[in-house]
Amino acid sequence: MSEAFSTGDIVAASCRGHPVEGIYITDRDGMAVLKLGSGYNIGVDPATCTLVRKNGGTAVPTPVAVEQDESLPGFAIISTGGTIASKIDYRTGAVTSQFTADDILRAIPGLSSIGRYRAEVLATILSENMTPAIWQDLARSIHAAVRGGARGVIVTHGTDTMAYSASAVSYMLETPVPVVFVGSQRSADRPSSDNIMNAMCAAAAAGSDLGEVAVAMHATTNDDYCALHRGTRVRKMHTSRRDAFQSHDMAPIGRVDFPSLAVTLSDDAVRRGASALALRDRLEERCGLLAFYPGMAAEIVRAYEGYRGLVIAGTGLGHVSTGCIGAVRDLIDAGTTVVMTSQCLHGRVCDRVYDTGRDLLAAGVVEGEDMLPEAALTKLMWVLGNESDPEEVRRLMATDLKGEIRRRSEHGL
């Protein structure tokens, strides 16, 4: 029985009549979990398991120092964790964020042919554990790297909240050089991992003529090129596909072909040197994001009393139910800035069409135009962190600051 096995033991078993062999991880839900040589986990009947070899506790080899070519351009890699910087934890069979930035260079040796790198481990977290305080630390680290002469900055990040982080940094930082967020949907131990291509393309983008914050990820399910997405206009659109990220209501600002690593930028892309380096890193954390749903009680809106800002993802053109409008008005009267965005993936908010929208405008709601709700949230945090006058806050929220608002939507209004 699998109870006699220890994590790391080599075990033979049977799966649907076929012999398999792998590394024993744990027992779960009545099954023995094995890590196959392909990198994938499989559950088998514990009764079919036999020990092939005990885990001998082989010593972990001392990492080889990363050699770098001093004649190549210098980049900064700032690691926050995520799947691109992860490995298997054989205690649980889960992917855990444990690699340092130097480990990334060892795992992806091709990076050394593009540039030389200063590595910093800012955090070792999965991105669901990201916080505004880490966003601030990240913006400060990027600012220091650019001030120190980095030609570009690569930020490794978990994909689940990478769009939030990219937009937050976009508002806090004026950058004359590329700041490229990159992650991977599948960990390095899996044959279909996207970590090598994504990292190589991010490094190529970091050395390009780009001059803004971007996200570099697979553009298709093939290993042919990565898209470069503006940091305030990108969303993760699929839970697991390698081409999960898409630009919102606009074309990507560039692409990096693979394996040539040729970078092509669109006319919309901000060019290198267009902005002087500057950091404004204050954020107001007392902000929330609320998705309206049919039947939502007004008390849920009132739960945000005391918050300085609230972004609502409303229905359609930017609506909530009539029953919630009074609670929204009370929040605004008490000093909360309320910004309306839409749950729709295309188009923009327009609260002048229906009575509900006009009532929301009369209550003092700010129309969020075509901003993504997550980009509106990080913008509201930044605006409230740097501005106290309510009218100026309203003006800034309705003003395009970092490409988050487009005056003409590509799909309709």
Side-chain angles (χ1 to χ4, degrees):
M1 295 293 289
S2 60
E3 286 80 359
F5 302 131
S6 300
T7 298
D9 289 348
I10 305 300
V11 171
S14 176
C15 179
R16 296 181 180 179
H18 299 282
V20 295
E21 185 175 298
I23 301 172
Y24 173 77
I25 297 174
T26 188
D27 275 5
R28 185 179 301 156
D29 300 326
M31 304 292 282
V33 181
L34 306 183
K35 168 69 66 177
L36 301 180
S38 65
Y40 290 95
N41 293 353
I42 189 172
V44 298
D45 183 351
T48 70
C49 294
T50 58
L51 180 67
V52 175
R53 184 171 66 256
K54 291 291 291 181
N55 176 11
T58 303
V60 176
T62 302
V64 176
V66 177
E67 295 185 5
Q68 303 201 51
D69 185 343
E70 293 299 320
S71 68
L72 294 175
F75 300 101
I77 294 182
I78 301 175
S79 175
T80 67
T83 302
I84 196 168
S86 65
K87 59 183 177 182
I88 293 296
D89 182 349
Y90 287 107
R91 297 169 302 169
T92 64
V95 174
T96 60
S97 180
Q98 298 182 37
F99 278 4
T100 67
D102 276 350
D103 290 328
I104 296 173
L105 294 180
R106 296 187 187 97
I108 309 174
L111 289 173
S112 297
S113 67
I114 300 172
R116 52 187 172 82
Y117 305 88
R118 292 199 307 271
E120 176 186 354
V121 180
L122 184 73
T124 53
I125 61 171
L126 298 175
S127 71
E128 58 266 31
N129 297 318
M130 186 58 65
T131 66
I134 299 177
W135 291 338
Q136 291 173 302
D137 288 340
L138 178 56
R140 293 163 190 155
S141 292
I142 296 169
H143 180 265
V146 176
R147 188 176 56 192
R151 179 166 175 78
V153 179
I154 303 161
V155 179
T156 65
H157 198 291
T159 59
D160 283 359
T161 63
M162 184 158 61
Y164 285 87
S165 298
S167 63
V169 170
S170 296
Y171 298 124
M172 288 188 283
L173 187 71
E174 297 284 345
T175 177
V177 306
V179 175
V180 186
F181 281 74
V182 65
S184 64
Q185 287 285 81
R186 300 172 187 176
S187 55
D189 66 304
R190 295 178 63 178
S192 60
S193 178
D194 51 342
N195 71 324
I196 291 177
M197 176 177 150
N198 289 352
M200 295 282 286
C201 289
S208 74
D209 197 35
L210 189 67
E212 61 177 298
V213 177
V215 170
M217 293 289 289
H218 262 63
T220 72
T221 55
N222 299 319
D223 294 331
D224 49 3
Y225 73 101
C226 279
L228 300 178
H229 306 281
R230 175 160 288 150
T232 57
R233 299 289 301 186
V234 61
R235 171 175 277 188
K236 183 177 181 179
M237 300 290 286
H238 196 280
T239 58
S240 58
R241 282 172 61 118
R242 300 193 302 172
D243 60 343
F245 282 76
Q246 294 183 21
S247 290
H248 174 64
D249 254 6
M250 66 176 291
I253 57 173
R255 61 181 283 164
V256 184
D257 292 323
F258 190 82
S260 71
L261 301 180
V263 180
T264 305
L265 300 180
S266 74
D267 292 340
D268 279 343
V270 178
R271 266 29 186 203
R272 179 183 289 272
S275 299
L277 179 64
L279 177 68
R280 296 181 66 188
D281 59 1
R282 291 192 297 273
L283 293 176
E284 172 55 70
E285 294 192 31
R286 290 176 297 165
C287 293
L289 174 58
L290 175 63
F292 172 77
Y293 56 89
M296 190 175 80
E299 284 72 24
I300 293 178
V301 178
R302 298 187 194 281
Y304 289 90
E305 291 177 359
Y307 277 57
R308 288 203 61 207
L310 175 65
V311 174
I312 298 177
T315 59
L317 291 169
H319 299 146
V320 298
S321 67
T322 302
C324 287
I325 293 176
V328 171
R329 181 184 297 109
D330 291 343
L331 280 184
I332 295 170
D333 290 346
T336 301
T337 299
V338 178
V339 179
M340 180 63 68
T341 62
S342 177
Q343 297 170 18
C344 297
L345 294 179
H346 303 297
R348 67 181 59 241
V349 168
C350 182
D351 281 322
R352 293 167 174 80
V353 178
Y354 297 103
D355 287 345
T356 301
R358 290 193 290 270
D359 290 342
L360 286 166
L361 288 177
V365 165
V366 179
E367 289 179 304
E369 300 288 346
D370 63 340
M371 282 189 289
L372 285 162
E374 51 267 43
L377 174 64
T378 56
K379 179 180 181 178
L380 187 56
M381 288 180 169
W382 183 81
V383 169
L384 289 171
N386 291 277
E387 182 56 61
S388 58
D389 178 64
E391 288 307 310
E392 183 63 7
V393 169
R394 292 176 61 87
R395 186 190 72 79
L396 288 171
M397 287 306 300
T399 301
D400 176 35
L401 301 178
K402 288 299 181 75
E404 73 280 4
I405 295 174
R406 292 174 67 83
R407 289 305 170 192
R408 183 179 181 276
S409 298
E410 293 193 2
H411 295 82
L413 271 175

